[in-house]
Amino acid sequence: ISACSSEMSEDEQAIYDARKAKEAAAPKNMMAIIHNDPDLSTAGMTVGLSGIVEDLGQVGPFTAFVGTNEAFNKLGADEFNALLKPENKEELKNILEYNVLIADMNSAAIAKAIEEGGGTATLKSAQGGMLKAMKDGDKIVLEDAKGNKSTIIQADLKADNGIVHIVDTVLMPG
């Protein structure tokens, strides 16, 4: 019985090293994170249609609460399709900017703000509206201006220009 070697050949090592170098050199801004996750394809499309794609590709720092495809489905087909119309571009941009903070807040920083706030923290969005953050067990929950609640289901995706948190409900301004 021949022994299995855990070492790579020189060719295999060269291929592996080249792949790692390519991954390291790849852009890691927020838009790259959003576009590389098929469960965020609706968010990627709406960001592109709204015109804020340029903003999220900028230096930052930003914290983005990005809704999954299922989060956008919760809006309902009629409301969602209306937002995609060219005449509603500003409303779509307003909603998406409400889901962004001009700050670099990982989940630990949000949790600390909640603790320091006695159980809630108020976070100012890039749109100018306020989000309320609170804990539900070990999960961070955000409440929008309409009273809807959204849970961070995947936290702390680090981008060159900030942090992405994936949420289960799109946050809506008042």
Side-chain angles (χ1 to χ4, degrees):
I1 299 175
S2 63
C4 292
S5 172
S6 62
E7 293 184 27
M8 290 187 239
S9 70
E10 283 185 37
D11 287 344
E12 290 169 330
Q13 185 67 47
I15 291 168
Y16 176 79
D17 290 345
R19 184 178 314 136
K20 291 308 253 182
K22 183 178 179 184
E23 287 174 10
K28 292 197 176 54
N29 67 31
M30 291 184 167
M31 289 313 305
I33 289 173
I34 293 168
H35 286 301
N36 287 331
D37 186 336
D39 198 36
L40 302 178
S41 61
T42 303
M45 176 189 62
T46 60
V47 167
L49 289 172
S50 72
I52 70 163
V53 69
E54 294 83 14
D55 297 338
L56 292 181
Q58 298 289 324
V59 175
F62 302 109
T63 299
F65 302 106
V66 180
T68 61
N69 295 341
E70 185 58 37
F72 279 93
N73 288 341
K74 289 179 182 180
L75 295 177
D78 291 342
E79 182 178 358
F80 181 70
N81 288 329
L83 286 172
L84 299 181
K85 293 181 179 179
E87 62 267 24
N88 295 327
K89 180 179 179 177
E90 282 304 311
E91 183 180 355
L92 179 61
K93 183 176 181 178
N94 189 46
I95 290 167
L96 295 178
E97 287 179 343
Y98 185 71
N99 286 264
V100 175
L101 311 176
I102 302 175
D104 192 352
M105 291 192 79
N106 63 21
S107 59
I110 297 171
K112 182 179 179 190
I114 292 168
E115 185 180 319
E116 290 174 352
T120 62
T122 302
L123 310 173
K124 185 176 181 183
S125 76
Q127 174 263 3
M130 299 297 176
L131 298 167
K132 187 165 103 177
M134 64 209 87
K135 297 276 285 202
D136 182 7
D138 62 343
K139 300 267 187 196
I140 294 174
V141 177
L142 303 164
E143 185 176 316
D144 66 20
K146 294 186 174 187
N148 301 312
K149 292 187 177 172
S150 181
T151 301
I152 295 177
I153 56 175
Q154 186 176 358
D156 301 333
L157 300 174
K158 184 73 177 130
D160 293 341
N161 58 344
I163 301 277
V164 173
H165 300 292
I166 311 235
V167 295
D168 65 358
T169 304
V170 178
L171 298 159
M172 302 295 277

